[in-house]
Amino acid sequence: MTVVDNLLTGDLANLARLRDHAAFTFVQQDIIKPLQIEGPVDEIYNLACPASPPRYQIDPIHTFRTCVDGTLNLLTLAEAKGARILQSSTSEVYGDPEINLQHEGYRGNVNTCGPRACYDEGKRAGETLFWEFGAHRGVETRIARIFNTYGPQMHPDDGRVVSNFVVQALRGDALTIYGDGSQTRSFCYVDDMVEGLIRLMASNEKMPVNLGNPGEFTMLELAKLVLAKTGSAVPMTYLPLPQDDPRQRRPDIARARGLLGWQPVVPLDLGLDRTIAWFAERVRADRQKELLPS
Ligand code: UDP
């Protein structure tokens, strides 16, 4: 197995368990540059690109190029190697959706000139490239539309809502609610997502498939759940809602159920317990490091 990462938002520590395997290779590279991989390649998972809004907005042109030039480079590699390739697309292709349950036939409501466009439009273009290579160049393509995913090993400063709330509660900081907290998201635990991606890769489906957990929560509900589970009494502080922040998001996973026999099995309640346990350990370790004399 070869892992390619430019470590823009990734952390080598997350690969610690894999690095000792004889069959494991790590390449530090940006996929915007063409990849040279020796020998045969069976499958490629394109999981590249920061997914957290504050992270992907730091360098929007680079984000866009990761999604377009990077995806084109990997498709070219797949074609040359005869490899099957899976694209991590996103629920962001639906933008700020006008319908409550987003199914794959919905064409979305994306602002092309706004702070989220570099990611949303990049991912939409990525799907177009996948479709062209799949429909007209004989490449075995798969497209997963991934909805909000969370779990252990996220970066404490990732900036997305689950890690923000959990880390804030554990550190004793106020929870940052953007807007009035009534916007909704559907949160999928990482193990469920990985299982969905593997099943999609193994399937014969070339058209996009939603992968996500249909349980829908407001950000206020999530905040209260995190406070209850961490036993924290920190206050909530209300900050402005970022521009173009989707009001609602909930996947229709009928296609994933039918085509892949897949559905999430880890409810938010359990996934949060596991995530909080991991972050609690991480926050403790970080505190200890701060206390050690340098
Ligand atoms: N959000 C929030 N507080 C935070 C971070 C995010 O209230 O500290 C909100 C954000 O405005 C959005 C939702 O939580 O409505 C999910 O944001 P996230 O960045 O996790 O993912 P995305 O917006 O890409 O779905």
Side-chain angles (χ1 to χ4, degrees), residues 53 116 148 160-161 164 176 178 183 185 219 245 249:
R116 298 177 88 97
N148 296 64
R160 274 172 289 180
V161 70
N164 271 10
T176 51
Y178 301 165
Q183 69 273 32
R185 293 292 186 276
M219 295 312 100
D245 196 282
R249 184 175 291 149

Side-chain angles (χ1 to χ4, degrees), residues 27-73:
V27 177
Q28 185 168 349
Q29 199 195 302
D30 194 317
I31 57 161
I32 287 178
K33 294 196 196 111
L35 274 176
Q36 311 294 334
I37 302 281
E38 297 291 321
V41 176
D42 301 321
E43 294 178 345
I44 302 170
Y45 286 84
N46 180 17
L47 305 169
C49 196
S52 165
R55 296 294 187 107
Y56 71 61
Q57 288 167 18
I58 290 172
D59 187 348
I61 305 290
H62 184 260
T63 298
F64 191 74
R65 292 195 61 203
T66 303
C67 296
V68 180
D69 297 344
T71 296
L72 183 56
N73 282 334

